[in-house]
Amino acid sequence: MSLKQNVDYIKEEMNNDEKMLEGLLRFESWFRRYKTAIFTLLGIIVVASVGYAGNTYYQEKQQQALAQSYEKALKGDESALATLKDSKSRLYDLYLFQNALKTNDAAVLKTLESSKDSIIAQFAKTQNASLSKDINTLNSKNSGDFGYLQAALLEIQAGNSQKAREILVKIKNDSPIRDLANALTHLSIKGIDNEK
């Protein structure tokens, strides 16, 4: 290498080093200016992450405790039932619903019609209408496919096979009880009509 090339190479290296040092000085200046905000933001992120993990753990433990209380309440433990009631959990509504079904308790079913769990509320309304043999309520869109099935069963019990078939047709094809409705339709056509 010639002397000129060496000098140019050294100048270029010094320029690169100078630019790198200038960049580091700018970063240090920027960091000094915003370090409080950066550390505050990092602190918030850490606290939020720990809080979220802690809350998730707490909620999971609460759900496990409620599930254990529910199991104990089913076995007759009164203190577990009181715990469920105080928690205002949907499991308490489920417990009441199960007991109301066993005893055909229309009063409890009526109160469960306003449950915060929409499925329990709908089933309670359907069961209550079934107990009172209210075919009009069961045969409405609000009662859904299970309501239609209950209405059809009541019509079959009353000897109205044709009305039962008309109700069973309303059950959607993608419903989980469609196969049961089809079987009931065939049974009502063959079995009940032949008996009369």
Side-chain angles (χ1 to χ4, degrees):
M1 273 190 172
S2 70
L3 184 60
K4 185 173 179 355
Q5 288 176 333
N6 283 340
V7 170
D8 288 342
Y9 176 76
I10 291 172
K11 277 185 184 179
E12 187 179 317
E13 284 295 315
M14 287 178 70
N15 281 340
N16 287 341
D17 288 345
E18 187 178 304
K19 286 178 185 175
M20 188 172 79
L21 185 60
E22 190 178 299
L24 283 172
L25 289 173
R26 279 191 199 142
F27 175 75
E28 182 183 3
S29 160
W30 176 84
F31 183 75
R32 281 185 188 172
R33 191 177 320 150
Y34 297 110
K35 75 178 176 184
T36 305
I38 291 170
F39 286 127
T40 302
L41 181 63
L42 287 174
I44 289 171
I45 289 171
V46 167
V47 168
S49 298
V50 168
Y52 178 76
N55 186 43
T56 302
Y57 177 77
Y58 174 76
Q59 293 294 333
E60 188 177 305
K61 286 295 184 187
Q62 285 293 99
Q63 291 301 320
Q64 288 175 356
L66 286 174
Q68 288 174 351
S69 293
Y70 176 73
E71 288 176 18
K72 289 177 183 177
L74 288 176
K75 294 176 183 174
D77 186 345
E78 292 297 322
S79 65
L81 182 58
T83 302
L84 272 180
K85 185 176 183 178
D86 292 342
S87 72
K88 296 183 176 139
S89 167
R90 292 177 180 180
L91 287 175
Y92 180 66
D93 288 352
L94 182 60
Y95 173 83
L96 291 176
F97 182 69
Q98 284 181 308
N99 281 342
L101 286 180
K102 287 179 189 173
T103 61
N104 289 330
D105 189 342
V108 172
L109 288 170
K110 189 69 175 167
T111 61
L112 288 173
E113 288 180 19
S114 60
S115 171
K116 51 187 166 178
D117 188 315
S118 61
I119 294 172
I120 290 175
Q122 182 177 0
F123 278 130
K125 185 175 183 178
T126 302
Q127 186 63 26
N128 217 3
S130 180
L131 287 175
S132 63
K133 300 188 186 290
D134 184 359
I135 293 176
N136 292 330
T137 300
L138 292 171
N139 194 13
S140 69
K141 287 182 180 179
N142 294 337
S143 292
D145 292 340
F146 287 106
Y148 292 142
L149 186 65
Q150 288 281 8
L153 286 169
L154 290 174
E155 289 290 6
I156 289 171
Q157 286 175 352
N160 302 326
S161 297
Q162 182 58 37
K163 286 183 181 178
R165 285 190 293 273
E166 290 169 8
I167 294 171
L168 289 170
V169 169
K170 296 178 185 179
I171 296 175
K172 299 175 196 136
N173 286 332
D174 61 347
S175 174
I177 61 169
R178 182 70 243 174
D179 291 337
L180 184 58
N182 288 340
L184 196 56
T185 301
H186 293 300
L187 283 175
S188 68
I189 292 170
K190 292 180 182 176
I192 295 175
D193 288 345
N194 292 339
E195 288 177 10
K196 292 190 173 185

